[in-house]
Amino acid sequence: MIVMKFGGTSIGNAQRIQAVAKIVASWQKTRPVVVVVSAMNKVTDLLVASAESAAKKKRTSMNRNLKQLRRLHLEAISGLGLTKPHEQALLEVINVKFEELEQLLSSVYIIGELSPRALDAILCHGERLSIHLVTEAIRQAGLKAEALEASSFIRTTDQFGAARPLLEESEKLAKKAIMPLLKRSVTPVVTGYIGSTSDGIITTLGRGGSDYSATILGYCLGAEEVWIWTDVDGVMTADPAVVKQAHTLRRLSYNEAAELSYFGAKVLHPLTMVPAALKQIPILIKNSFNPKAPGTKISEQISRNSHSGKAIATIGDLSLITVQGKGMIGVPGVAAKVFGAIAAQNINVLFISQASSEYNISFVVAADDGQRAVRILQETFEPEVKLKLIETVRLEEKLAILAVVGEGMRGHPGIAGKIFSALGNSGVNIIAIAQGSSERNISLVIKQANTKKAVNSIHQEFHLAKP
Ligand code: ASP
Ligand code: MG
């Protein structure tokens, strides 16, 4: 059995939904398929916008967003060319979901407050709607299909907006909900992105989380493979908008794929690899707009023969914060104090570097968090600054992280040298460096303006262009 997940652009309109139904129907001939879908393209963004306008008591913009959401779904439904009774039945289901959504938004509007729990209750509607459109299209393609809300079998923690699956409980529940359908040759069409707590409260796994749903389900059902259908041919050596010679990679290890997705290759949610790796289920990235392309296969198998970086990912709009002072040298607890203060503010740290002189600690945060992080640290270290133990808390803006990823780099000398000479030759200054001891990722902080030059020079240095 294969779990196939289709993302927002893959089901972006009636025509795309029909293309998905065709893909499912053709694979279904050889083995059972469990379908996982995300919301239609743009829908989750629109839901976020409606929820925020509701909380700010902006009724006009809330209604405008709702209207657009309705139009998007109604246009898709009428484009499916269903028979009248089928179309009528689908419209009724959709209307009920919209009524629930409107009630939720009205409650937020009245209270004027949007808790993470209320936001999840609103955001889950994108997937609660899309499953029904996809189910009807699959039925129209001649298969039996049934729409399922994963909240009844994917159990999660109660971290709303970033809930994590409870795999053992989910496994039992999912098997019970889905296996009988497969026995009757019914194709289950499951909501991605959502789950529920053991009290039955709806949760979401975080934006882009339906990839994660697919491997969670793959884990629960013991799937042979999980296929993620998206709008590109697979994971590429670099962003093709930045590097002309970038091309699709045929194979990646779970770790390589995770590193790349953490570092800005937007193909997969970073946690997608976790459940798959636990049961060694291969993940295949496929293009629903180009189903013939072989895609990228992600599995345990590592090709370490290349001895070089395999792909380059970048994240922009970052700031570097440096805490510096001779009073930090040999004093335990400084790092704990820095990162404790940052964590207490809920600021995410993407990169850390400390030289062995211990004279300074540098770390990278999103540009939006930069000023706040500096303020917090200045307050936190006020006594040390007064005593001249800490000299500065410095902010550097308009930066990017560039990560070179590849299992083949491990235990192979000269990789960093190659990267540095490539950058040196193209005149790109390196502001900070970090390499995890896994050695499958070397990350550099550079000026954002240098990103294109830097990525291209490393891509060339490692001969990553298609042979
Ligand atoms: N619909 C959700 C989002 O837009 C989940 C997903 O697409 O994977 O974030
Ligand atoms: Mg996605």
Side-chain angles (χ1 to χ4, degrees):
M1 172 242 303
I2 297 188
V3 174
M4 291 195 184
K5 178 258 169 174
F6 295 89
T9 49
S10 295
I11 58 164
N13 57 39
Q15 200 192 351
R16 299 304 316 153
I17 295 174
Q18 284 168 331
V20 163
K22 216 169 113 188
I23 290 173
V24 173
S26 80
W27 286 102
Q28 171 83 24
K29 285 184 195 130
T30 53
R31 61 202 116 174
V33 175
V34 174
V35 175
V36 174
V37 292
S38 44
M40 289 177 71
N41 197 23
K42 299 202 188 90
V43 164
T44 311
D45 289 337
L46 282 167
L47 287 167
V48 172
S50 345
E52 284 172 353
S53 2
K56 289 186 199 134
K57 294 208 176 270
K58 293 185 180 161
R59 190 177 283 283
T60 335
S61 96
M62 175 181 108
N63 285 338
R64 192 178 346 104
N65 288 319
L66 258 173
K67 213 165 138 189
Q68 202 179 335
L69 280 166
R70 250 187 215 278
R71 181 158 16 93
L72 235 149
H73 289 92
L74 294 183
E75 269 175 21
I77 291 173
S78 79
L80 286 177
L82 304 170
T83 62
K84 265 276 159 284
H86 276 260
E87 183 175 297
Q88 209 46 48
L90 179 54
L91 284 172
E92 267 162 38
V93 174
I94 296 301
N95 274 330
V96 172
K97 304 286 174 230
F98 268 106
E99 271 161 31
E100 280 179 40
L101 174 61
E102 274 167 29
Q103 272 173 16
L104 282 162
L105 287 170
S106 301
S107 320
V108 170
Y109 179 89
I110 292 166
I111 301 172
E113 185 192 77
L114 184 61
S115 67
R117 173 173 161 174
L119 184 61
D120 276 1
I122 290 167
L123 295 189
C124 69
H125 280 77
E127 279 73 9
R128 295 182 74 204
L129 288 160
S130 67
I131 45 170
H132 297 285
L133 278 71
V134 174
T135 301
E136 269 312 327
I138 292 177
R139 286 181 185 150
Q140 207 187 12
L143 301 181
K144 289 188 276 184
E146 201 167 303
L148 299 177
E149 295 190 6
S151 40
S152 63
F153 48 82
I154 293 186
R155 280 285 161 278
T156 70
T157 60
D158 63 0
Q159 294 155 275
F160 297 100
R164 296 296 166 250
L166 306 173
L167 290 173
E168 267 163 51
E169 286 174 66
S170 304
E171 180 167 352
K172 280 188 212 115
L173 293 166
K175 276 191 176 135
K176 219 158 98 192
I178 290 176
M179 289 309 188
L181 295 177
L182 296 181
K183 273 212 187 86
R184 291 174 16 231
S185 309
V186 175
T187 303
V189 180
V190 183
T191 53
Y193 183 48
I194 73 180
S196 76
T197 65
S198 45
D199 298 333
I201 318 284
I202 298 259
T203 54
T204 69
L205 304 172
R207 294 303 306 272
S210 45
D211 300 331
Y212 194 15
S213 301
T215 53
I216 293 169
L217 214 53
Y219 174 99
C220 291
L221 303 173
E224 212 177 303
E225 288 186 349
V226 174
W227 293 12
I228 309 276
W229 291 89
T230 177
D231 54 7
V232 291
D233 282 349
V235 182
M236 300 190 77
T237 51
D239 180 350
V242 174
V243 180
K244 248 200 255 133
Q245 297 83 6
H247 66 95
T248 308
L249 291 156
R250 292 296 294 275
R251 282 191 154 275
L252 282 174
S253 71
Y254 292 121
N255 288 326
E256 287 172 335
E259 300 262 11
L260 284 171
S261 52
Y262 275 116
F263 281 98
K266 288 189 194 65
V267 185
L268 282 177
H269 186 286
L271 291 174
T272 309
M273 273 55 71
V274 175
L278 284 173
K279 284 201 181 169
Q280 308 268 307
I281 301 169
I283 302 169
L284 189 61
I285 314 286
K286 298 267 297 167
N287 189 350
S288 75
F289 293 74
N290 180 21
K292 289 221 171 73
T296 301
K297 188 167 197 164
I298 302 167
S299 63
E300 194 57 44
Q301 214 169 321
I302 305 164
S303 56
R304 285 187 58 185
N305 46 4
S306 66
H307 295 313
S308 86
K310 205 160 165 183
I312 307 159
T314 59
I315 322 178
D317 293 323
L318 303 175
S319 297
L320 180 81
I321 291 150
T322 303
V323 182
Q324 181 168 314
K326 296 183 193 65
M328 293 166 57
I329 302 172
V331 180
V334 178
K337 204 165 165 185
V338 170
F339 295 112
I342 293 300
Q345 293 294 314
N346 222 352
I347 295 174
N348 187 34
V349 174
L350 290 100
F351 173 108
I352 301 173
S353 133
Q354 177 186 286
S356 61
S357 72
E358 300 179 51
Y359 181 48
N360 60 38
I361 296 177
S362 302
F363 62 94
V364 173
V365 298
D368 286 346
D369 293 331
Q371 311 263 4
R372 191 158 55 100
V374 167
R375 247 190 344 265
I376 297 308
L377 292 176
Q378 279 164 345
E379 279 166 26
T380 308
F381 286 104
E382 208 184 315
E384 287 85 348
V385 171
K386 277 214 181 101
L387 294 170
K388 310 276 184 238
L389 296 171
I390 300 242
E391 291 147 25
T392 46
V393 179
R394 205 169 49 231
L395 178 70
E396 237 176 301
E397 298 184 289
K398 299 200 176 120
L399 303 178
I401 291 180
L402 180 158
V404 184
V405 171
E407 298 271 6
M409 307 195 315
R410 180 153 79 229
H412 197 78
I415 305 283
K418 272 188 166 176
I419 295 173
F420 300 153
S421 69
L423 293 181
N425 290 338
S426 52
V428 175
N429 180 40
I430 302 171
I431 297 166
I433 305 164
Q435 176 186 279
S437 58
S438 75
E439 292 188 52
R440 66 174 81 86
N441 171 352
I442 296 177
S443 303
L444 315 166
V445 179
I446 56 173
K447 283 215 162 69
Q448 176 144 346
N450 283 334
T451 306
K452 187 162 186 167
K453 209 160 47 167
V455 178
N456 273 286
S457 68
I458 296 170
H459 203 270
Q460 202 161 17
E461 180 70 32
F462 284 124
H463 306 290
L464 296 181
K466 208 177 181 70

mmCIF file of all heavy atoms in Angstrom, residues 152-182:
data_model
loop_
_atom_site.group_PDB
_atom_site.id
_atom_site.type_symbol
_atom_site.label_atom_id
_atom_site.label_comp_id
_atom_site.label_asym_id
_atom_site.label_seq_id
_atom_site.Cartn_x
_atom_site.Cartn_y
_atom_site.Cartn_z
ATOM 1 N N SER A 152 -9.935 12.118 13.878
ATOM 2 C CA SER A 152 -10.472 10.960 14.590
ATOM 3 C C SER A 152 -9.448 9.829 14.746
ATOM 4 O O SER A 152 -9.730 8.854 15.429
ATOM 5 C CB SER A 152 -11.756 10.465 13.921
ATOM 6 O OG SER A 152 -11.472 10.025 12.628
ATOM 7 N N PHE A 153 -8.279 9.952 14.130
ATOM 8 C CA PHE A 153 -7.296 8.878 14.371
ATOM 9 C C PHE A 153 -5.845 9.331 14.497
ATOM 10 O O PHE A 153 -4.994 8.541 14.880
ATOM 11 C CB PHE A 153 -7.416 7.750 13.332
ATOM 12 C CG PHE A 153 -7.487 8.221 11.912
ATOM 13 C CD1 PHE A 153 -6.344 8.535 11.214
ATOM 14 C CD2 PHE A 153 -8.725 8.359 11.274
ATOM 15 C CE1 PHE A 153 -6.418 8.974 9.913
ATOM 16 C CE2 PHE A 153 -8.807 8.798 9.965
ATOM 17 C CZ PHE A 153 -7.649 9.099 9.284
ATOM 18 N N ILE A 154 -5.518 10.584 14.170
ATOM 19 C CA ILE A 154 -4.152 11.037 14.475
ATOM 20 C C ILE A 154 -4.181 11.788 15.801
ATOM 21 O O ILE A 154 -4.724 12.881 15.914
ATOM 22 C CB ILE A 154 -3.551 11.895 13.329
ATOM 23 C CG1 ILE A 154 -3.341 11.001 12.091
ATOM 24 C CG2 ILE A 154 -2.205 12.507 13.772
ATOM 25 C CD1 ILE A 154 -2.637 11.663 10.932
ATOM 26 N N ARG A 155 -3.639 11.123 16.827
ATOM 27 C CA ARG A 155 -3.583 11.705 18.179
ATOM 28 C C ARG A 155 -2.326 12.541 18.294
ATOM 29 O O ARG A 155 -1.251 12.131 17.840
ATOM 30 C CB ARG A 155 -3.500 10.611 19.238
ATOM 31 C CG ARG A 155 -4.787 9.960 19.582
ATOM 32 C CD ARG A 155 -5.666 10.851 20.448
ATOM 33 N NE ARG A 155 -7.044 10.380 20.366
ATOM 34 C CZ ARG A 155 -7.886 10.689 19.385
ATOM 35 N NH1 ARG A 155 -7.524 11.506 18.428
ATOM 36 N NH2 ARG A 155 -9.108 10.206 19.370
ATOM 37 N N THR A 156 -2.474 13.704 18.906
ATOM 38 C CA THR A 156 -1.303 14.575 19.034
ATOM 39 C C THR A 156 -1.210 15.152 20.445
ATOM 40 O O THR A 156 -2.140 15.043 21.249
ATOM 41 C CB THR A 156 -1.386 15.774 18.064
ATOM 42 O OG1 THR A 156 -2.428 16.654 18.526
ATOM 43 C CG2 THR A 156 -1.687 15.349 16.639
ATOM 44 N N THR A 157 -0.085 15.816 20.700
ATOM 45 C CA THR A 157 0.065 16.619 21.909
ATOM 46 C C THR A 157 -0.851 17.847 21.774
ATOM 47 O O THR A 157 -1.415 18.073 20.710
ATOM 48 C CB THR A 157 1.510 17.116 22.045
ATOM 49 O OG1 THR A 157 1.815 17.916 20.880
ATOM 50 C CG2 THR A 157 2.486 15.963 22.119
ATOM 51 N N ASP A 158 -0.944 18.628 22.833
ATOM 52 C CA ASP A 158 -1.826 19.800 22.743
ATOM 53 C C ASP A 158 -1.056 21.097 22.501
ATOM 54 O O ASP A 158 -1.490 22.165 22.909
ATOM 55 C CB ASP A 158 -2.711 19.907 23.994
ATOM 56 C CG ASP A 158 -1.880 20.120 25.247
ATOM 57 O OD1 ASP A 158 -0.638 20.175 25.150
ATOM 58 O OD2 ASP A 158 -2.489 20.228 26.335
ATOM 59 N N GLN A 159 0.104 21.008 21.802
ATOM 60 C CA GLN A 159 0.778 22.252 21.402
ATOM 61 C C GLN A 159 0.066 22.748 20.150
ATOM 62 O O GLN A 159 0.434 22.397 19.034
ATOM 63 C CB GLN A 159 2.237 21.981 21.038
ATOM 64 C CG GLN A 159 3.114 21.523 22.176
ATOM 65 C CD GLN A 159 4.280 20.736 21.628
ATOM 66 O OE1 GLN A 159 4.183 19.532 21.384
ATOM 67 N NE2 GLN A 159 5.397 21.403 21.402
ATOM 68 N N PHE A 160 -0.939 23.596 20.348
ATOM 69 C CA PHE A 160 -1.719 24.054 19.200
ATOM 70 C C PHE A 160 -0.821 24.821 18.234
ATOM 71 O O PHE A 160 0.044 25.585 18.654
ATOM 72 C CB PHE A 160 -2.892 24.908 19.677
ATOM 73 C CG PHE A 160 -3.839 24.114 20.539
ATOM 74 C CD1 PHE A 160 -3.799 24.211 21.925
ATOM 75 C CD2 PHE A 160 -4.725 23.222 19.952
ATOM 76 C CE1 PHE A 160 -4.644 23.452 22.712
ATOM 77 C CE2 PHE A 160 -5.573 22.456 20.734
ATOM 78 C CZ PHE A 160 -5.528 22.572 22.121
ATOM 79 N N GLY A 161 -0.998 24.569 16.963
ATOM 80 C CA GLY A 161 -0.179 25.229 15.941
ATOM 81 C C GLY A 161 1.127 24.510 15.668
ATOM 82 O O GLY A 161 1.802 24.788 14.677
ATOM 83 N N ALA A 162 1.515 23.597 16.534
ATOM 84 C CA ALA A 162 2.744 22.820 16.310
ATOM 85 C C ALA A 162 2.625 21.501 17.062
ATOM 86 O O ALA A 162 3.540 21.064 17.751
ATOM 87 C CB ALA A 162 3.969 23.595 16.779
ATOM 88 N N ALA A 163 1.467 20.861 16.921
ATOM 89 C CA ALA A 163 1.217 19.629 17.662
ATOM 90 C C ALA A 163 2.108 18.507 17.132
ATOM 91 O O ALA A 163 2.484 18.494 15.973
ATOM 92 C CB ALA A 163 -0.248 19.241 17.524
ATOM 93 N N ARG A 164 2.464 17.574 18.017
ATOM 94 C CA ARG A 164 3.316 16.450 17.619
ATOM 95 C C ARG A 164 2.550 15.149 17.792
ATOM 96 O O ARG A 164 1.811 14.974 18.761
ATOM 97 C CB ARG A 164 4.587 16.439 18.472
ATOM 98 C CG ARG A 164 5.477 17.667 18.257
ATOM 99 C CD ARG A 164 6.022 17.721 16.829
ATOM 100 N NE ARG A 164 6.585 19.003 16.476
ATOM 101 C CZ ARG A 164 6.038 19.855 15.597
ATOM 102 N NH1 ARG A 164 4.901 19.574 14.996
ATOM 103 N NH2 ARG A 164 6.622 20.986 15.295
ATOM 104 N N PRO A 165 2.717 14.221 16.852
ATOM 105 C CA PRO A 165 1.906 13.001 16.871
ATOM 106 C C PRO A 165 2.290 12.054 18.004
ATOM 107 O O PRO A 165 3.464 11.955 18.369
ATOM 108 C CB PRO A 165 2.252 12.368 15.518
ATOM 109 C CG PRO A 165 3.612 12.870 15.186
ATOM 110 C CD PRO A 165 3.670 14.258 15.725
ATOM 111 N N LEU A 166 1.296 11.400 18.564
ATOM 112 C CA LEU A 166 1.525 10.302 19.503
ATOM 113 C C LEU A 166 1.385 9.035 18.669
ATOM 114 O O LEU A 166 0.280 8.590 18.361
ATOM 115 C CB LEU A 166 0.490 10.362 20.629
ATOM 116 C CG LEU A 166 0.426 11.722 21.353
ATOM 117 C CD1 LEU A 166 -0.727 11.773 22.333
ATOM 118 C CD2 LEU A 166 1.750 12.010 22.061
ATOM 119 N N LEU A 167 2.539 8.498 18.260
ATOM 120 C CA LEU A 167 2.519 7.492 17.195
ATOM 121 C C LEU A 167 1.835 6.191 17.588
ATOM 122 O O LEU A 167 1.104 5.610 16.788
ATOM 123 C CB LEU A 167 3.943 7.233 16.697
ATOM 124 C CG LEU A 167 4.561 8.405 15.894
ATOM 125 C CD1 LEU A 167 6.022 8.136 15.578
ATOM 126 C CD2 LEU A 167 3.785 8.666 14.610
ATOM 127 N N GLU A 168 2.058 5.751 18.834
ATOM 128 C CA GLU A 168 1.483 4.445 19.195
ATOM 129 C C GLU A 168 -0.039 4.479 19.203
ATOM 130 O O GLU A 168 -0.696 3.602 18.632
ATOM 131 C CB GLU A 168 2.006 3.993 20.559
ATOM 132 C CG GLU A 168 3.232 3.114 20.404
ATOM 133 C CD GLU A 168 3.995 2.990 21.713
ATOM 134 O OE1 GLU A 168 3.361 2.661 22.735
ATOM 135 O OE2 GLU A 168 5.211 3.241 21.684
ATOM 136 N N GLU A 169 -0.585 5.528 19.850
ATOM 137 C CA GLU A 169 -2.047 5.631 19.880
ATOM 138 C C GLU A 169 -2.606 5.805 18.472
ATOM 139 O O GLU A 169 -3.614 5.196 18.109
ATOM 140 C CB GLU A 169 -2.463 6.856 20.717
ATOM 141 C CG GLU A 169 -2.286 6.653 22.206
ATOM 142 C CD GLU A 169 -2.567 7.952 22.940
ATOM 143 O OE1 GLU A 169 -3.729 8.411 22.926
ATOM 144 O OE2 GLU A 169 -1.595 8.506 23.481
ATOM 145 N N SER A 170 -1.936 6.652 17.693
ATOM 146 C CA SER A 170 -2.418 6.921 16.335
ATOM 147 C C SER A 170 -2.408 5.645 15.500
ATOM 148 O O SER A 170 -3.312 5.410 14.693
ATOM 149 C CB SER A 170 -1.553 7.968 15.649
ATOM 150 O OG SER A 170 -1.509 9.145 16.416
ATOM 151 N N GLU A 171 -1.370 4.835 15.701
ATOM 152 C CA GLU A 171 -1.260 3.611 14.905
ATOM 153 C C GLU A 171 -2.488 2.713 15.099
ATOM 154 O O GLU A 171 -3.101 2.250 14.140
ATOM 155 C CB GLU A 171 0.034 2.862 15.272
ATOM 156 C CG GLU A 171 0.220 1.592 14.480
ATOM 157 C CD GLU A 171 1.625 1.001 14.600
ATOM 158 O OE1 GLU A 171 2.520 1.647 15.179
ATOM 159 O OE2 GLU A 171 1.818 -0.119 14.105
ATOM 160 N N LYS A 172 -2.855 2.528 16.363
ATOM 161 C CA LYS A 172 -4.016 1.664 16.641
ATOM 162 C C LYS A 172 -5.276 2.236 16.009
ATOM 163 O O LYS A 172 -6.041 1.538 15.343
ATOM 164 C CB LYS A 172 -4.225 1.550 18.159
ATOM 165 C CG LYS A 172 -3.289 0.552 18.796
ATOM 166 C CD LYS A 172 -3.674 0.319 20.271
ATOM 167 C CE LYS A 172 -2.415 0.011 21.073
ATOM 168 N NZ LYS A 172 -2.072 1.021 22.076
ATOM 169 N N LEU A 173 -5.486 3.543 16.233
ATOM 170 C CA LEU A 173 -6.717 4.182 15.746
ATOM 171 C C LEU A 173 -6.767 4.226 14.219
ATOM 172 O O LEU A 173 -7.808 3.971 13.612
ATOM 173 C CB LEU A 173 -6.818 5.599 16.316
ATOM 174 C CG LEU A 173 -7.016 5.694 17.825
ATOM 175 C CD1 LEU A 173 -6.749 7.109 18.324
ATOM 176 C CD2 LEU A 173 -8.435 5.262 18.187
ATOM 177 N N ALA A 174 -5.636 4.547 13.609
ATOM 178 C CA ALA A 174 -5.622 4.695 12.146
ATOM 179 C C ALA A 174 -5.874 3.352 11.467
ATOM 180 O O ALA A 174 -6.614 3.269 10.488
ATOM 181 C CB ALA A 174 -4.292 5.286 11.693
ATOM 182 N N LYS A 175 -5.259 2.303 12.012
ATOM 183 C CA LYS A 175 -5.483 0.975 11.421
ATOM 184 C C LYS A 175 -6.964 0.629 11.448
ATOM 185 O O LYS A 175 -7.519 0.128 10.484
ATOM 186 C CB LYS A 175 -4.689 -0.082 12.188
ATOM 187 C CG LYS A 175 -3.251 -0.163 11.711
ATOM 188 C CD LYS A 175 -2.566 -1.390 12.277
ATOM 189 C CE LYS A 175 -1.161 -1.505 11.707
ATOM 190 N NZ LYS A 175 -0.173 -1.831 12.750
ATOM 191 N N LYS A 176 -7.580 0.916 12.613
ATOM 192 C CA LYS A 176 -8.989 0.576 12.774
ATOM 193 C C LYS A 176 -9.866 1.379 11.811
ATOM 194 O O LYS A 176 -10.842 0.872 11.274
ATOM 195 C CB LYS A 176 -9.415 0.847 14.227
ATOM 196 C CG LYS A 176 -10.363 -0.211 14.749
ATOM 197 C CD LYS A 176 -10.380 -0.270 16.258
ATOM 198 C CE LYS A 176 -11.541 0.509 16.837
ATOM 199 N NZ LYS A 176 -11.421 0.707 18.285
ATOM 200 N N ALA A 177 -9.482 2.628 11.567
ATOM 201 C CA ALA A 177 -10.316 3.473 10.711
ATOM 202 C C ALA A 177 -10.108 3.175 9.232
ATOM 203 O O ALA A 177 -11.044 3.288 8.436
ATOM 204 C CB ALA A 177 -9.999 4.945 10.989
ATOM 205 N N ILE A 178 -8.884 2.785 8.865
ATOM 206 C CA ILE A 178 -8.564 2.759 7.430
ATOM 207 C C ILE A 178 -8.506 1.364 6.816
ATOM 208 O O ILE A 178 -8.968 1.146 5.698
ATOM 209 C CB ILE A 178 -7.247 3.535 7.189
ATOM 210 C CG1 ILE A 178 -7.538 5.022 7.431
ATOM 211 C CG2 ILE A 178 -6.704 3.309 5.785
ATOM 212 C CD1 ILE A 178 -6.365 5.924 7.337
ATOM 213 N N MET A 179 -8.006 0.378 7.589
ATOM 214 C CA MET A 179 -7.839 -0.955 7.005
ATOM 215 C C MET A 179 -9.141 -1.553 6.452
ATOM 216 O O MET A 179 -9.144 -2.135 5.365
ATOM 217 C CB MET A 179 -7.180 -1.912 8.001
ATOM 218 C CG MET A 179 -5.709 -1.595 8.249
ATOM 219 S SD MET A 179 -4.822 -1.429 6.686
ATOM 220 C CE MET A 179 -3.144 -1.324 7.244
ATOM 221 N N PRO A 180 -10.269 -1.411 7.185
ATOM 222 C CA PRO A 180 -11.507 -1.978 6.651
ATOM 223 C C PRO A 180 -11.903 -1.368 5.296
ATOM 224 O O PRO A 180 -12.442 -2.058 4.436
ATOM 225 C CB PRO A 180 -12.558 -1.623 7.716
ATOM 226 C CG PRO A 180 -11.781 -1.368 8.958
ATOM 227 C CD PRO A 180 -10.462 -0.837 8.519
ATOM 228 N N LEU A 181 -11.587 -0.075 5.112
ATOM 229 C CA LEU A 181 -11.901 0.564 3.834
ATOM 230 C C LEU A 181 -11.073 -0.065 2.718
ATOM 231 O O LEU A 181 -11.586 -0.379 1.640
ATOM 232 C CB LEU A 181 -11.619 2.069 3.893
ATOM 233 C CG LEU A 181 -12.481 2.888 4.857
ATOM 234 C CD1 LEU A 181 -12.041 4.345 4.862
ATOM 235 C CD2 LEU A 181 -13.951 2.790 4.443
ATOM 236 N N LEU A 182 -9.781 -0.261 2.990
ATOM 237 C CA LEU A 182 -8.914 -0.837 1.964
ATOM 238 C C LEU A 182 -9.373 -2.247 1.599
ATOM 239 O O LEU A 182 -9.333 -2.643 0.440
ATOM 240 C CB LEU A 182 -7.457 -0.859 2.447
ATOM 241 C CG LEU A 182 -6.819 0.512 2.697
ATOM 242 C CD1 LEU A 182 -5.372 0.353 3.145
ATOM 243 C CD2 LEU A 182 -6.891 1.399 1.461
#
